[in-house]
């Protein structure tokens, strides 16, 4: 075990004037888990933008640029047009890789420039002099392309600070002065050896590393970042200490994903920023919860229930005496107003000491019931749940009752409060129907109201979405003006649906004509096919935004449900 050395020299805190967070979720964060799909990267990046706020506290996000998926993700994220986080690249110390950064239109790239003798002599089989010459050559190549280089001083907490790190940084300072380009340095605690103890010695002392780079290596704090790993459980405090000693940037990943034990969790840095600065600077911290929910629901990653800020039970009180205090006043045992800051109301874990009032409180909080739907301790269902809880402990149970376990019992005695899987699928079907309508309703071909122009578009759309049973367009008088656009297996069944049929009394027609919006019907059984369906309808407008018809689509619920199940199975 590496011993922590002390030189017993103490440094005063000298924070940078401005602090920011940089993100490496799509670079280092992908080295410890299956690669994200391009659409997932875009979704996460967009949420980081919203979390960052108007001041761009999450300043940058770095991306791998090697695979076609990586490049596709970069292009789609760039297309969003967000100023923050700025998209940057990452390359090895190779001139040929810089061309890809330039090709994608990025302004800045990280460059792998390892600084410890472990890397220089044992990994790269070279010498300090040779590797320094190589590093400086690649930095010059980047400058010649108009790129901002960000040198990643890998394994700095095991490096010879005054024998190699400082001389390297001073050479970069010369290039910075000559070029007028702000060359950056990222201090990478690759093995998590950094410590924050007062009087600790270099190279492991975080405060001394930061001050050495500023005072002796001519690297301004605004051009410096700290990148840590969690091998010794010090990843968050090390990043915070770097901030407090003049390093402006702290690098992180969503949920702390990263090599081996991971990087600084971005969500933890956001909370730490607010704690140390005393203000959120416009960051929308509720996006932390949205990110966590996205990882669980869309990516399928299970977050440990007790993970701070993002775990299902992080603000759940288990001890009975604590639960009693929480019901009386949440400030007694809740770490902060988690509902206001994270959109996460506190919860109470149930034991034999909880009582019916605590169970009612658990149900109301768990289901986020509005006051008019809230239940109280006298509700028959609550009394039955409380009786079940008491029976558990009379039979010898010692542990508290978990949320998932209690939810099963609550579903049994309070079924009217829970959405069934069928209800969720219905909601999903309605949302998908609206999304489909939005894709199709503004197609220029529909504006013509010419059947020969519209029908190929409708047929193509139906072919791509086979769960659609029937597509049609009617004129403002309610008469169908297109042929029956159906799946081939249903075509004969629709032969009786003639153009002269008047649909003007149907709700799917009346709604769009009345308010000009997309509508989705309730579920019904199709008279023609017998299938359970919903109908999406919306207004067709001409170039003057006048409603000239109504588009309708009948969607098979069963086929949609199968598609949903297949997509989940693939994920």
């Amino acid at each position: 075990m590496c011993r922590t050395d002390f030189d017993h020299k103490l440094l005063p805190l000298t924070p940078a004037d401005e602090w920011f967070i940089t993100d490496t979720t799509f670079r280092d964060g992908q080295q410890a888990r299956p690669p994200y799909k391009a659409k997932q990267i875009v979704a996460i990046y967009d949420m980081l933008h919203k979390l960052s706020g108007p001041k761009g506290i999450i300043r940058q996000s770095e991306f791998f640029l090697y695979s076609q998926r990586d490049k596709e993700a970069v292009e789609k994220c760039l297309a969003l047009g967000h100023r923050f986080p700025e998209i940057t690249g990452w390359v090895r110390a190779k001139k040929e890789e810089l061309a890809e950064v330039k090709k994608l239109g990025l302004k800045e790239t990280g460059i792998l420039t390892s600084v410890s003798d472990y890397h220089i002599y044992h990994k790269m089989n070279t010498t300090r002099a040779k590797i320094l010459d190589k590093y400086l050559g690649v930095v010059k190549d980047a400058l010649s392309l108009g790129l901002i280089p960000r040198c990643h001083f890998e394994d700095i907490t095991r490096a010879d600070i005054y024998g190699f790190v400082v001389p390297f940084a001073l050479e970069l300072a010369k290039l910075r002065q000559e070029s007028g380009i702000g060359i950056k340095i990222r201090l990478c605690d690759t093995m998590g050896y950094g410590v924050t103890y007062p009087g600790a010695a270099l190279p492991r002392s975080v405060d001394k590393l930061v001050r050495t780079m500023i005072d002796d290596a001519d690297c301004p704090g605004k051009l410096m970042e700290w990148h840590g790993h969690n091998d010794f459980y010090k990843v968050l405090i090390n990043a915070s200490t770097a901030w407090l000693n003049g390093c402006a940037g702290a690098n992180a990943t969503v949920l702390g994903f990263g090599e081996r034990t991971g990087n600084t969790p971005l969500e933890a840095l956001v909370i730490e920023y607010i704690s140390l600065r005393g203000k959120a600077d416009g960051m929308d911290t509720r996006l932390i919860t949205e990110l966590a929910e996205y990882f669980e629901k869309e990516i399928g990653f299970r977050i440990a229930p007790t993970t701070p800020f993002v775990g299902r039970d992080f603000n759940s009180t288990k001890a009975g005496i604590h639960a009693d205090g929480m019901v009386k006043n949440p400030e007694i045992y809740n770490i902060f107003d988690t509902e206001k800051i994270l959109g996460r109301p506190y919860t109470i874990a149930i034991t034999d000491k909880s009582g019916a009032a605590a169970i009612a409180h658990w149900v109301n909080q768990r289901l986020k019931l509005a006051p008019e739907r809230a239940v109280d301790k006298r509700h028959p269902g609550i009394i039955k749940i409380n009786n079940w809880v008491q029976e558990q402990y009379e039979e010898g149970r010692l542990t508290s009752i978990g949320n998932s376990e209690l939810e099963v019992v609550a579903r049994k005695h309070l079924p009217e409060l829970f959405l069934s899987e069928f209800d969720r699928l219905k909601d999903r079907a309605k949302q998908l129907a609206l999304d489909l309508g939005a894709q199709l309703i503004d197609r220029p071909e529909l504006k013509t109201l010419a059947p020969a122009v519209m029908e190929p578009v409708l047929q193509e759309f139906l072919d791509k979405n086979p769960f659609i049973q029937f597509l049609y367009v009617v004129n403002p008088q309610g008469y169908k003006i297109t042929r029956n656009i159906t799946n081939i297996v249903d075509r004969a069944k629709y032969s009786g649906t003639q153009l002269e049929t008047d649909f003007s009394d149907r709700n799917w027609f009346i709604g769009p004509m009345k308010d000009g919006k997309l509508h989705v019907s309730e579920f019904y059984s199709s008279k023609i096919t017998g299938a359970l369906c919903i109908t999406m309808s919306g207004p067709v407008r001409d170039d003057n935004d006048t409603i000239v018809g109504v588009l309708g689509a009948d969607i098979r619920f069963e086929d949609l449900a199968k598609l949903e199940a297949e997509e989940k199975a693939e994920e």
Side-chain angles (χ1 to χ4, degrees), residues 20 56 95 163 263 273 321 348 470 515 519 552 554 564 568:
F20 56 84
K95 179 180 179 180
N263 300 138
Y273 179 102
I321 190 171
I348 293 173
F470 185 27
D515 61 18
H519 286 255
D554 297 348
E564 181 89 352
K568 286 185 177 180

Side-chain angles (χ1 to χ4, degrees), residues 462-534:
L462 183 140
D463 293 340
K464 290 181 178 179
N465 300 283
F467 46 81
I468 296 177
Q469 177 174 281
F470 185 27
L471 271 172
Y472 43 90
V473 175
V474 300
N475 64 22
Q477 289 73 46
Y479 290 96
K480 190 159 64 72
I481 57 176
T482 54
R483 291 184 298 109
N484 297 331
I485 309 298
T486 69
N487 289 301
I488 192 168
V489 294
D490 292 326
R491 200 155 292 165
K493 299 175 183 176
Y494 281 91
S495 60
T497 306
Q498 304 299 325
L499 295 179
E500 62 268 16
T501 304
D502 182 0
F503 293 103
S504 61
D505 61 342
R506 309 295 171 86
N507 288 333
W508 60 260
F509 174 83
I510 296 171
M513 290 296 295
K514 185 176 180 180
D515 61 18
K517 297 179 180 179
L518 289 168
H519 286 255
V520 178
S521 73
E522 293 301 321
F523 283 72
Y524 63 91
S525 293
S526 170
K527 294 180 180 179
I528 297 176
T529 65
L532 184 64
C533 294
I534 56 174

